Amino acid sequence: MIKTKIWVIVISLILTVSAALSVIIFTLPKKNVVAIYSDGELLREIDLSEVAEPYTFKVEHGDGFNEILVERGRIRVSFADCPDRCCVNYGWYYGGASPVVCIPHKLVIKAVNSQKDDFDVVTG
Amino acid sequence: MKTKRIALDAVLTALALSVFIIEQQIPLPIPVPGVKLGLSNVVTLFALFAVSPLDALLILSLRIGIGNVFAGSVTGLIFSAAGGLLCYVTELILYKFLTDRQIWVCGVFGAIAHGVGQIFAAVGVSATAEIFIYLPVLILCGIVTGALTGSLAQVSVIKLKKVFPFLPFRRKKEEKQN
């Protein structure tokens, strides 16, 4: 039998590493351009820095749908009829490393690289 | 003895199903796909340590199958199955190395394995490799929830073996220790 003390040390190590990685992931630099995928297909790309007026659009998947709200600098799933509502609970997405995912409707909103991004870095 | 075992398995399956369905009604404010308390794992752990690995597998598969047919979806079934089976295999391996007073360790690693299994299923289903970025968060949540559910299972195993000595609980490990 392995002593409880050793288990505590092993678990604490995993805990520390995963906590550190989580913090790093959520503080990674943000990108301006986000892409919306449904079922693995690219639906549209939006440059969040160029959104003038807030607008919404619907993404249908089978019988269900996700309603997406776009504002300047941020995007979110404002309504969905999926079972877990994980995508709605995510709240606003600002282009970070952790994508918005709606697993039941196979919807993904994630930041993507664009040539415009490099241009912004040079001028800005 | 055999009838008692069937009855015990049936009761545990019913318990796991009820917990599984009630748990789905509890919303967690964590915006990461796949994070949940994993309360029904208490029943699996209990069956593993107090009855037998085979009974635990039976209860787990019945819970995943029936639970997702009545209160889930096809995607839910895929995630439950991927997470649940990886969780079971991990717990089965650890079971050989743990005493009844270390069941919480089994809960922790089981929850981590469940998260890993779910992430792989999610990446497979949605073909989005970016979901892997949630792995550290899922492991972190798994350690916390796993320690909680594991401790719950540990208390249940130790207490129930004393309260219901007539049930077909296995007491091999305790005898070894004494």
Side-chain angles (χ1 to χ4, degrees):
Chain A
M1 292 299 143
I2 300 162
K3 279 187 178 160
T4 308
K5 209 196 231 169
I6 294 164
W7 287 117
V8 172
I9 294 167
V10 171
I11 292 170
S12 316
L13 272 176
I14 303 172
L15 188 82
T16 319
V17 171
S18 52
L21 280 176
S22 309
V23 171
I24 292 169
I25 285 161
F26 284 108
T27 51
L28 280 174
K30 294 170 171 54
K31 292 170 186 165
N32 278 333
V33 180
V34 295
I36 293 139
Y37 293 84
S38 177
D39 224 340
E41 255 178 75
L42 178 67
L43 286 185
R44 54 171 100 185
E45 276 189 11
I46 302 167
D47 189 334
L48 292 177
S49 61
E50 285 179 351
V51 178
E53 286 287 306
Y55 62 95
T56 59
F57 61 93
K58 252 185 191 182
V59 179
E60 313 234 346
H61 182 270
D63 295 331
F65 70 93
N66 299 66
E67 192 184 80
I68 295 165
L69 172 61
V70 189
E71 282 184 16
R72 179 180 282 260
R74 57 187 197 172
I75 184 167
R76 72 170 295 168
V77 179
S78 48
F79 192 78
D81 61 353
C82 54
D84 58 5
R85 305 288 156 87
C86 198
C87 47
V88 181
N89 291 334
Y90 187 101
W92 290 105
Y93 175 61
Y94 298 90
S98 48
V100 185
V101 189
C102 179
I103 296 287
H105 294 166
K106 294 181 185 168
L107 176 92
V108 181
I109 304 175
K110 64 180 184 185
V112 288
N113 282 319
S114 72
Q115 292 174 332
K116 185 111 191 355
D117 260 4
D118 302 328
F119 180 71
D120 279 352
V121 170
V122 174
T123 52
Chain B
M1 193 59 158
K2 212 184 162 198
T3 325
K4 265 188 188 173
R5 190 170 160 189
I6 293 170
L8 181 64
D9 281 6
V11 169
L12 287 176
T13 307
L15 183 65
L17 271 170
S18 330
V19 171
F20 179 73
I21 288 164
I22 292 167
E23 194 191 354
Q24 286 190 329
Q25 312 304 319
I26 308 170
L28 281 182
I30 300 165
V32 178
V35 172
K36 55 180 182 179
L37 285 170
L39 284 174
S40 40
N41 193 35
V42 175
V43 184
T44 315
L45 276 173
F46 178 82
L48 180 63
F49 279 86
V51 192
S52 83
L54 185 68
D55 296 80
L57 181 63
L58 214 64
I59 292 163
L60 177 74
S61 346
L62 282 172
R63 189 252 292 169
I64 291 171
I66 302 173
N68 282 296
V69 164
F70 286 105
S73 53
V74 182
T75 39
L77 184 68
I78 296 169
F79 295 123
S80 286
L85 285 179
L86 202 61
C87 173
Y88 176 76
V89 170
T90 312
E91 288 175 348
L92 189 65
I93 295 165
L94 282 171
Y95 164 74
K96 314 255 181 212
F97 301 99
L98 297 172
T99 64
D100 275 2
R101 302 208 164 269
Q102 293 174 320
I103 296 178
W104 66 274
V105 175
C106 211
V108 169
F109 285 102
I112 293 174
H114 196 282
V116 173
Q118 268 189 326
I119 284 271
F120 274 94
V123 170
V125 165
S126 67
T128 309
E130 275 86 353
I131 298 176
F132 275 127
I133 213 151
Y134 284 121
L135 197 54
V137 189
L138 268 176
I139 291 175
L140 195 66
C141 295
I143 292 174
V144 178
T145 59
L148 282 170
T149 55
S151 308
L152 213 57
Q154 182 171 328
V155 174
S156 315
V157 169
I158 293 169
K159 297 274 180 200
L160 284 178
K161 272 186 180 175
K162 276 183 194 151
V163 179
F164 301 111
F166 51 85
L167 284 175
F169 292 149
R170 184 158 50 178
R171 32 189 71 248
K172 201 177 79 194
K173 282 198 169 181
E174 272 175 311
E175 280 162 18
K176 254 191 213 163
Q177 270 183 298
N178 291 340

